[in-house]
Amino acid sequence: MPLLPSSSQPALSAKKQQSISSFFGKGLSLPNPRSRQNESSPSSDSVARNMSNAADESLFIAEDEDNSISPPIPIRGRTPTAKRGYNEFSNKGDREAENIDHTHSRKRIKTSTNHDEPKLGPEESLPAESTVNDTSYLATPAPNQVGRPKALDRTSYYLFSSPPSRHAESLEDDETRRTKDKLHQKFVKRLGNPDSIAAIKRRNRQVTEEVQDQADEEEGEKEDVEEDEITTPLPKAKKGTSAKKNSSKLTPMEKQVLEIKRSHMDTLLIVEVGYKFRFFGEDARTAAKELSIVCIPGKYRYDEHPSEAHLDRFASASIPVHRLHVHVKRLVGAGHKVGVVRQLETAALKAVGDNRNAPFVRKLTNVYTKGTYIDDVEGLEGPVSGPSGGAPATGYLICITESNARGGATDEKVHVGIVAVQPATGDVIYDDFDDGFMRSDIETRLLHIAPCEILIVGDLSRATEKLVQHLSGSKTNVFGEKVRVERVEKPKTIAAQAYNHVSNFYAGKMNASGSEEDGKSSRILDNVLKLPEDVTICLSAMITHMAEYGLEHVFDLTKYFQSFQARSHMLLNGTSLTSLEIYQNQTDHSEKGSLFWTLDRTETRFGRRLLRKWVGRPLLVKKELEERIGAVEEFKDGEQTAKVEKIKRLLRQIKSDLERSLIRIYYGKCTRPELLTFLQTMQRIANEYVAVKSPQDAGFHSTTINDALAALPTIAQDVVGYLDRIDAQAAKSDDRYAFFREEFESEEMEEHKLGIASVEHELDAHRSVAAEKIKKKKVEYVTVAGIEYLVEVDNAMLRNVPASWSKISGTKRVSRFHSPEVVGLIRERDQHKEELAAACDVAFSALLAEIACKYQPFRDCIQALATLDCLISLGAVANQPGYVKPEFSDDTCIIVQQGRHPMVEQLLLDSYVPNDTILATEQTRALLITGPNMGGKSSYVRQVALVAIMGQMGCYVPAEFAKLGMLDAIFTRMGAFDNMMAGESTFMVELSETSDMLKQATSRSLIILDELGRGTSTYDGVAIAEAVLDHVVRETKCLTLFITHYQNLSALAKGFDAGELKNVHMKFEESGEDGQDITFLYEVGYGVAHRSYGLNVARLAGLSESVLDLAAVKSKELERETRKKRIAHLSRILQRSLKHGDGEQLDLLINGIEQL
């Protein structure tokens, strides 16, 4: 609207005031508009001239006031006034009336109901210009006049009033003023302004909402103020106001999910919603990152944080139902704990239930972690693969608890208990031991077991905690992937609690078993209760932990409890596993290049797991070893080719992981197709050897092979009995309704199937009734888009369709309907179907429980297959050229002719240079090895250790001849490592490992020491190396391979007259100017290499020529000075010996000359 000239402003304001005043009803105390006009405008003609311009705006204001009859909305930032009279506007009334045309927002002004204010009596009337009859709003108003509606009682409180005359100000006395001031002070005290102390405390959460409510209530009791004295009631801050305000925005389903989440904050929840699984909140963001799916933004937090108060829904991400386990596997592989929340009721049963109007009942049904995820049906077939190219995880969960050894006050020596369980196979390992401050025993067990999850009971010492963090803290650790670590508390009375818990657990199993198994169960309980205290604590914690995942029944299989310290196996500590590259190479921690990779020729996944145990735990009992290598020899030779090929063909036909399928049956988590595959595979295995009634019928010379083959047909009768109950086609298609053959269905299944048939019969009979209603001869049901029992009617005949029929779909030609009878029958049929599905699931679970009772014979059969697979794998290795069957001796010895490194020769393109080794306790039991850098010293000593390990696990070895004694352990100290987290230098770690080695080694051990003493000064390093070498040769009397660059140590060999210690070196040839060019021969020869040729290695490393030239000059200078000092020292010795004739001095002189 264009602005009017300034001269017309007063007239227009007066007219607008007149139009607003004339809008409301009678009985209002308003000043005479005509007199105001006469006072404020020069003439009435000017007002008339501006009427047309003001009319539009007058109408707009009137309509706004008329339509807005709701209570006024408080304007943020304004402080409402307790009581308003005319005097409040008297000073600015004229100014507002004149400038109302320029205001940006139109305000409603309430008038107070103060009885002191003047009113017009019933006989008084407004001036003619501003009064109309009560029904005047029905008449057509004049062009320059605004119609006014009748003022209602409930709106009279909010009527607009023009400012009173200035003389009204005098009506207000001092008492009224004081009352207003008092009300204003109470208001400020109660509500507070943004800078008040109360507001600051509320912002800083120093005053809780409950305290504020209580203060408000007490304040309200003290104040005796009428309700109408305050124009806008002040809302009280009630308890949980903000929470209710925000949570009210969430849907009932989101509230349901939030309740479950708050009980499982450490779990990433996947919620079943209709035909999808969804993630909510922070879980959605995590899933989107790990699974590369879309996350719809929203609330990420699960608390009512003010930063998300403006959001009314959770962030979400979704995955299809059929891809659930694919994504769960990826999430648990990333180290997450994943929970699946499922709907526990279906639409059909919910429709007839009591909670038909409530959300679907949902519950956390499954929880998975990396170690407890055994629902991987897809992973049961195909080759096993390691994480990101690393070595495959064993799937073990390990529980660790620790206490001070023998009541000590420090954590230098601790007592440790462990229990490790492999849920996929049912194997349980336990141990109880003391460990030193280097924690080498804990490291050994962790590297052997290679867990994917660690459960810690109580607090660990700093050294143990740092070891666990080092082994599990990153994705590039020795386990090949990040290890999940969980912790539980350890109360002071945990020993008694654990004992009672374990006793009750196994006592309950005894009560559940029959009388025939009471004796067996009693023996099991006695054996379990004899476990050490720390092991019992770990066992109790593991039972509780596994119960969360529904896998606690794995501890029922006590036959598979095995002590880690069973001394029927060689001990390979953690350092040896790493240094000798038993499971992983040291370059990228992958399996390729390891000893296990070299020997693995298995066909099945359970055979591969067994071979891994064989590699890490070589045998100590000579009889068992000879039986195993005899079986390998029989598979290697061609005498039994047909029988061997039959076994190989049978193993190649096994595509699934039978061991994992069996444990899934035991847990009740097996699917129908998986069960059918398992039983049919077991039947095929049993039928191949059904004629083998005893081990003698197998036809092999080896008792190991015969016993394994005789175990295969023992399960044939049970398997046939189970398969006879199953419909193969239905099981393949995962049809729960037809899974069982008719004669093996339960009564409930038959009852519901009859109910479904009855309903379908009624639906068929209803066709004639439907045809009669729509006046057709015949009606046939049609199915469109999955909707059954639709009646099609031509659109031209729609007049015959009853109004009670529901139209479902249609086309241009026909329409499709459901009659009320059909709707009711379909609902009844769906109800029967849902109850039938539940009955089928119950029957299937009963079948799985029945098969689980036969776990023992099935497990023995699978173990026999795994043994055959491993023996055939070792036989394939033995068939390689250059491999020989070792001889075994009761004496401690390693005699190898033309031995080779088993892994390096497979990775090298060139041929490997073989070497001889002769070590025996009563002869030469130690070799002091010297030689140039990169001359092959480390490869040689590793080769000796690996040949010994291969021989004792029952495998042929890469050599022309090998005679091996029964070694009880192999200890290695190779490479340079520090432990910065523990404040230990490289030399400290080196000596600590050496200390542990000397404590644990026996005369039947093999010790490998590589450059001991190099981490400190020359004199200290030589002294330590010489003392350790002398101790292991003279005192421990174990087989020793000692690599050094201290040529002075070679003199120690002369102190052993029987030749227990001999000097050998790696051969090389010098050529070029001053012998700078070196050719490594990689052969071992007797004698000492007096130079290490470090400058040649520096040249190969690419150091600049200037540096190399200067280093060569300095090396020659130092060598010259050292030679001069030695010659001077020898001359003094010669003078003393000639003067005194001392024999000792003469011996020193001879030794010095030899060293020169």
Side-chain angles (χ1 to χ4, degrees):
M1 177 185 297
L3 293 176
L4 297 177
S6 58
S7 60
S8 63
Q9 291 288 336
L12 178 58
S13 300
K15 182 61 182 176
K16 289 167 67 175
Q17 181 178 349
Q18 178 187 0
S19 62
I20 294 173
S21 302
S22 62
F23 173 75
F24 297 101
K26 302 177 181 179
L28 298 179
S29 177
L30 297 175
N32 193 331
R34 186 181 297 274
S35 62
R36 293 292 303 272
Q37 279 188 3
N38 294 335
E39 293 174 3
S40 61
S41 61
S43 66
S44 59
D45 295 338
S46 61
V47 175
R49 282 193 302 268
N50 293 325
M51 274 295 184
S52 60
N53 294 331
D56 294 337
E57 187 171 344
S58 300
L59 284 170
F60 176 75
I61 297 173
E63 288 177 359
D64 186 21
E65 296 294 340
D66 184 38
N67 294 332
S68 304
I69 59 174
S70 59
I73 301 173
I75 300 173
R76 185 177 300 176
R78 290 186 176 273
T79 304
T81 310
K83 184 176 181 181
R84 281 184 156 169
Y86 292 122
N87 62 331
E88 295 179 73
F89 302 98
S90 58
N91 294 331
K92 57 182 179 180
D94 294 338
R95 186 170 62 255
E96 285 186 353
E98 292 173 358
N99 296 331
I100 192 170
D101 185 36
H102 299 286
T103 55
H104 295 288
S105 61
R106 293 173 294 277
K107 312 180 186 66
R108 298 182 187 87
I109 303 173
K110 303 178 190 176
T111 59
S112 175
T113 55
N114 196 338
H115 297 285
D116 295 332
E117 296 173 0
K119 292 184 179 180
L120 292 177
E123 69 280 79
E124 296 181 61
S125 62
L126 291 172
E129 291 84 343
S130 60
T131 58
V132 293
N133 293 330
D134 291 341
T135 59
S136 61
Y137 65 92
L138 298 174
T140 302
N144 295 332
Q145 188 177 7
V146 179
R148 60 178 186 270
K150 181 180 180 180
L152 303 178
D153 293 336
R154 62 189 180 89
T155 61
S156 60
Y157 185 80
Y158 304 99
L159 294 181
F160 175 83
S161 174
S162 61
S165 58
R166 293 185 180 272
H167 74 275
E169 197 174 26
S170 60
L171 298 177
E172 186 177 55
D173 54 5
D174 295 339
E175 184 178 355
T176 306
R177 247 183 234 281
R178 285 194 297 271
T179 303
K180 287 183 180 181
D181 292 339
K182 184 178 179 182
L183 290 175
H184 178 71
Q185 292 299 328
K186 288 182 179 180
F187 167 77
V188 172
K189 182 179 179 182
R190 188 172 183 183
L191 183 63
N193 56 67
D195 297 325
S196 66
I197 295 177
I200 294 173
K201 287 185 176 181
R202 280 197 293 271
R203 285 200 299 270
N204 293 332
R205 302 184 183 278
Q206 296 180 11
V207 179
T208 62
E209 293 178 346
E210 292 84 354
V211 174
Q212 187 66 30
D213 290 344
Q214 186 176 1
D216 289 347
E217 291 175 2
E218 293 175 357
E219 188 78 22
E221 292 176 359
K222 295 177 182 178
E223 296 175 0
D224 187 14
V225 182
E226 294 185 2
E227 189 175 350
D228 57 355
E229 287 184 342
I230 301 176
T231 58
T232 305
L234 300 178
K236 284 189 178 182
K238 296 184 179 180
K239 182 179 179 180
T241 302
S242 61
K244 290 181 181 178
K245 180 181 178 182
N246 291 333
S247 62
S248 63
K249 299 177 183 177
L250 302 178
T251 64
M253 188 270 294
E254 288 178 324
K255 294 178 182 178
Q256 188 183 55
V257 173
L258 185 59
E259 183 179 354
I260 299 174
K261 180 65 181 180
R262 284 174 174 167
S263 302
H264 303 85
M265 292 300 293
D266 62 336
T267 306
L268 195 152
L269 295 183
I270 308 178
V271 185
E272 183 180 12
V273 182
Y275 296 101
K276 286 186 178 182
F277 281 97
R278 297 180 63 188
F279 304 86
F280 294 94
E282 187 62 34
D283 292 347
R285 178 154 51 185
T286 303
K289 178 181 177 183
E290 298 290 351
L291 305 178
S292 300
I293 59 178
V294 176
C295 175
I296 301 173
K299 294 168 67 74
Y300 291 105
R301 301 173 63 104
Y302 301 106
D303 55 355
E304 300 298 337
H305 197 269
S307 63
E308 295 183 339
H310 62 289
L311 300 173
D312 58 355
R313 65 177 182 179
F314 276 114
S316 64
S318 62
I319 57 174
V321 170
H322 67 280
R323 298 282 291 173
L324 171 65
H325 286 293
V326 175
H327 294 300
V328 169
K329 184 178 180 181
R330 292 174 63 184
L331 289 172
V332 299
H336 297 286
K337 182 179 180 182
V338 180
V340 179
V341 179
R342 294 188 180 271
Q343 297 174 181
L344 299 184
E345 55 184 354
T346 59
L349 293 178
K350 183 178 175 61
V352 298
D354 296 335
N355 64 334
R356 62 177 65 92
N357 296 323
F360 280 93
V361 176
R362 292 179 175 88
K363 185 179 179 183
L364 184 66
T365 57
N366 302 92
V367 182
Y368 303 107
T369 56
K370 193 181 304 181
T372 60
Y373 182 60
I374 61 170
D375 288 6
D376 182 16
V377 180
E378 296 180 0
L380 297 174
E381 300 181 4
V384 66
S385 60
S388 63
T394 60
Y396 271 100
L397 286 80
I398 190 170
C399 179
I400 302 175
T401 189
E402 187 181 75
S403 57
N404 291 333
R406 298 183 180 89
T410 65
D411 61 357
E412 180 175 337
K413 192 170 185 179
V414 293
H415 188 77
V416 183
I418 66 168
V419 169
V421 58
Q422 192 175 31
T425 62
D427 292 334
V428 179
I429 299 173
Y430 66 91
D431 203 359
D432 182 72
F433 56 93
D434 290 334
D435 203 358
F437 75 99
M438 282 298 294
R439 305 297 190 261
S440 57
D441 287 340
I442 296 179
E443 182 184 15
T444 297
R445 284 150 181 80
L446 288 177
L447 290 175
H448 265 283
I449 296 170
C452 59
E453 287 188 48
I454 300 176
L455 177 65
I456 298 174
V457 181
D459 296 328
L460 298 180
S461 60
R462 291 183 59 190
T464 309
E465 186 72 43
K466 289 172 181 175
L467 173 66
V468 170
Q469 291 178 1
H470 170 70
L471 293 178
S472 63
S474 68
K475 292 187 177 180
T476 57
N477 57 55
V478 294
F479 298 148
E481 56 185 358
K482 191 170 183 178
V483 177
R484 180 179 176 83
V485 179
E486 294 195 31
R487 303 173 188 273
V488 295
E489 294 181 354
K490 185 178 181 180
K492 294 182 179 180
T493 59
I494 191 170
Q497 294 175 8
Y499 184 86
N500 292 334
H501 181 210
V502 173
S503 301
N504 295 335
F505 179 79
Y506 284 99
K509 305 302 176 187
M510 290 175 58
N511 296 333
S513 62
S515 58
E516 300 178 357
E517 299 183 357
D518 283 348
K520 178 181 176 182
S521 301
S522 299
R523 290 192 299 272
I524 290 174
L525 181 60
D526 292 340
N527 292 334
V528 169
L529 296 182
K530 289 178 183 177
L531 294 173
E533 179 179 300
D534 284 343
V535 174
T536 304
I537 291 172
C538 288
L539 179 60
S540 173
M542 283 296 280
I543 292 174
T544 304
H545 181 70
M546 298 294 282
E548 182 179 359
Y549 308 98
L551 304 177
E552 70 276 13
H553 301 296
V554 69
F555 295 104
D556 298 350
L557 311 172
T558 49
K559 177 185 177 182
Y560 303 101
F561 275 46
Q562 187 178 20
S563 173
F564 185 86
Q565 290 182 338
R567 294 304 288 172
S568 59
H569 305 283
M570 178 197 292
L571 174 63
L572 293 174
N573 62 17
T575 307
S576 299
L577 291 177
T578 304
S579 300
L580 300 179
E581 299 177 316
I582 301 299
Y583 296 127
Q584 300 167 335
N585 67 53
Q586 289 185 284
T587 306
D588 60 356
H589 297 300
S590 67
E591 188 180 289
K592 185 177 181 180
S594 66
L595 179 62
F596 179 62
W597 170 79
T598 305
L599 303 178
D600 184 19
R601 304 286 193 277
T602 54
E603 297 286 349
T604 63
R605 301 184 70 175
F606 47 89
R608 198 171 192 272
R609 285 192 291 267
L610 181 61
L611 181 64
R612 193 182 192 277
K613 295 179 183 178
W614 285 9
V615 170
R617 310 187 76 180
L619 297 174
L620 283 180
V621 181
K622 182 181 176 183
K623 182 180 179 181
E624 294 179 5
L625 187 54
E626 289 177 342
E627 288 179 0
R628 182 182 292 178
I629 204 165
V632 173
E633 182 181 16
E634 194 161 359
F635 279 132
K636 174 184 177 293
D637 296 338
E639 297 179 3
Q640 304 282 353
T641 304
K643 296 179 180 178
V644 174
E645 287 300 323
K646 181 181 179 181
I647 299 175
K648 289 182 179 179
R649 185 175 63 254
L650 179 63
L651 291 171
R652 282 193 292 267
Q653 291 175 353
I654 300 174
K655 301 299 183 182
S656 62
D657 191 342
L658 298 179
E659 194 172 31
R660 291 193 65 184
S661 294
L662 178 61
I663 201 70
R664 281 168 52 78
I665 291 172
Y666 185 81
Y667 293 141
K669 296 178 177 290
C670 183
T671 62
R672 292 172 177 82
E674 181 187 351
L675 178 62
L676 177 67
T677 302
F678 173 80
L679 293 176
Q680 287 180 339
T681 304
M682 298 301 291
Q683 183 187 29
R684 186 165 59 249
I685 294 168
N687 289 341
E688 287 285 345
Y689 294 95
V690 69
V692 180
K693 304 297 182 182
S694 64
Q696 291 76 21
D697 299 335
F700 286 89
H701 300 294
S702 170
T703 56
T704 303
I705 300 175
N706 290 337
D707 290 342
L709 292 176
L712 300 181
T714 56
I715 45 91
Q717 186 175 355
D718 292 330
V719 171
V720 171
Y722 298 137
L723 285 173
D724 285 344
R725 307 186 198 179
I726 298 172
D727 185 328
Q729 293 300 322
K732 286 181 181 178
S733 60
D734 201 9
D735 184 359
R736 66 176 69 180
Y737 304 109
F739 177 78
F740 291 98
R741 295 170 60 198
E742 290 187 5
E743 57 267 32
F744 295 100
E745 292 180 349
S746 63
E747 293 183 1
E748 290 184 356
M749 294 170 62
E750 292 178 355
E751 178 183 348
H752 292 302
K753 283 188 174 182
L754 289 175
I756 293 173
S758 174
V759 171
E760 290 178 347
H761 177 73
E762 293 182 24
L763 284 168
D764 186 66
H766 179 68
R767 289 189 298 126
S768 59
V769 178
E772 183 179 350
K773 286 186 177 182
I774 63 176
K775 299 178 182 179
K776 290 180 66 175
K777 293 181 179 180
K778 187 178 181 181
V779 166
E780 295 292 341
Y781 292 125
V782 296
T783 301
V784 179
I787 303 176
E788 300 177 298
Y789 300 104
L790 293 171
V791 178
E792 280 190 348
V793 181
D794 291 338
N795 290 336
M797 304 297 293
L798 290 180
R799 62 181 180 276
N800 296 329
V801 178
S804 60
W805 285 30
S806 302
K807 183 176 179 180
I808 306 301
S809 63
T811 65
K812 289 183 178 180
R813 189 178 62 85
V814 296
S815 296
R816 305 183 186 99
F817 294 88
H818 269 163
S819 67
E821 293 82 1
V822 168
V823 172
L825 291 172
I826 289 177
R827 186 177 291 114
E828 184 180 353
R829 187 200 61 165
D830 290 343
Q831 185 178 350
H832 277 297
K833 276 190 173 182
E834 299 296 346
E835 293 176 353
L836 173 62
C840 291
D841 290 341
V842 170
F844 180 69
S845 299
L847 176 61
L848 293 181
E850 187 178 346
I851 299 175
C853 295
K854 300 290 184 180
Y855 180 88
Q856 193 67 53
F858 278 105
R859 175 66 187 268
D860 293 341
C861 177
I862 296 171
Q863 197 71 16
L865 277 173
T867 302
L868 293 172
D869 198 6
C870 291
L871 293 174
I872 291 176
S873 175
L874 297 181
V877 173
N879 270 322
Q880 296 179 111
Y883 276 69
V884 66
K885 178 184 176 182
E887 298 178 7
F888 299 104
S889 171
D890 292 328
D891 299 329
T892 305
C893 64
I894 300 177
I895 302 173
V896 179
Q897 295 178 5
Q898 299 296 294
R900 305 182 307 280
H901 195 294
M903 292 98 81
V904 175
E905 74 167 348
Q906 292 198 24
L907 297 173
L908 278 181
L909 299 177
D910 301 329
S911 60
Y912 189 85
V913 179
N915 284 298
D916 296 341
T917 303
I918 300 176
L919 291 173
T921 302
E922 302 302 328
Q923 301 174 17
T924 301
R925 55 176 173 262
L927 296 178
L928 182 66
I929 306 168
T930 56
N933 294 108
M934 296 182 63
K937 301 185 296 297
S938 297
S939 295
Y940 170 69
V941 297
R942 284 192 177 99
Q943 162 202 313
V944 175
L946 291 169
V947 167
I949 292 172
M950 290 176 65
Q952 284 191 233
M953 65 171 290
C955 181
Y956 280 46
V957 297
E960 289 184 0
F961 172 81
K963 182 179 180 181
L964 305 173
M966 297 291 101
L967 301 178
D968 61 359
I970 294 179
F971 301 100
T972 61
R973 164 82 279 276
M974 306 179 73
F977 305 98
D978 59 13
N979 189 359
M980 296 182 66
M981 295 297 294
E984 297 169 356
S985 66
T986 304
F987 189 59
M988 178 64 178
V989 173
E990 185 178 345
L991 293 185
S992 299
E993 292 181 355
T994 304
S995 173
D996 292 339
M997 191 182 302
L998 296 180
K999 292 175 184 176
Q1000 299 177 27
T1002 67
S1003 60
R1004 296 173 61 85
S1005 303
L1006 171 64
I1007 285 182
I1008 297 176
L1009 290 167
D1010 189 356
E1011 301 184 28
L1012 179 65
R1014 62 183 169 182
T1016 186
S1017 65
T1018 305
Y1019 300 114
D1020 291 344
V1022 171
I1024 292 172
E1026 183 173 344
V1028 170
L1029 179 59
D1030 185 81
H1031 177 82
V1032 296
V1033 178
R1034 200 181 302 276
E1035 302 295 334
T1036 310
K1037 296 182 179 180
C1038 58
L1039 305 184
T1040 306
L1041 297 172
F1042 196 103
I1043 300 174
T1044 185
H1045 287 287
Y1046 297 141
Q1047 287 83 11
N1048 296 342
L1049 294 180
S1050 60
L1052 190 63
K1054 298 187 178 186
F1056 297 92
D1057 299 332
E1060 293 91 343
L1061 173 65
K1062 288 188 176 181
N1063 294 314
V1064 296
H1065 72 285
M1066 304 305 297
K1067 294 182 180 180
F1068 57 92
E1069 291 181 353
E1070 293 181 345
S1071 61
E1073 184 180 354
D1074 296 333
Q1076 289 185 357
D1077 296 332
I1078 302 297
T1079 302
F1080 300 131
L1081 301 180
Y1082 301 111
E1083 293 181 6
V1084 178
Y1086 287 103
V1088 180
H1090 290 290
R1091 294 185 64 184
S1092 296
Y1093 299 94
L1095 292 178
N1096 297 78
V1097 179
R1099 183 174 287 106
L1100 291 175
L1103 290 181
S1104 63
E1105 288 296 330
S1106 60
V1107 174
L1108 292 173
D1109 293 341
L1110 180 59
V1113 172
K1114 293 293 183 182
S1115 177
K1116 290 181 179 179
E1117 290 178 0
L1118 292 172
E1119 191 173 349
R1120 242 187 340 262
E1121 291 178 4
T1122 303
R1123 187 178 293 272
K1124 287 180 180 179
K1125 290 180 180 178
R1126 288 184 178 180
I1127 292 174
H1129 179 63
L1130 290 176
S1131 65
R1132 288 193 295 271
I1133 293 176
L1134 179 60
Q1135 290 177 2
R1136 284 196 297 269
S1137 62
L1138 292 175
K1139 184 177 181 180
H1140 301 288
D1142 191 353
E1144 291 183 2
Q1145 297 291 331
L1146 187 60
D1147 291 338
L1148 289 174
L1149 178 63
I1150 295 172
N1151 289 335
I1153 294 173
E1154 287 180 353
Q1155 291 182 12
L1156 285 174

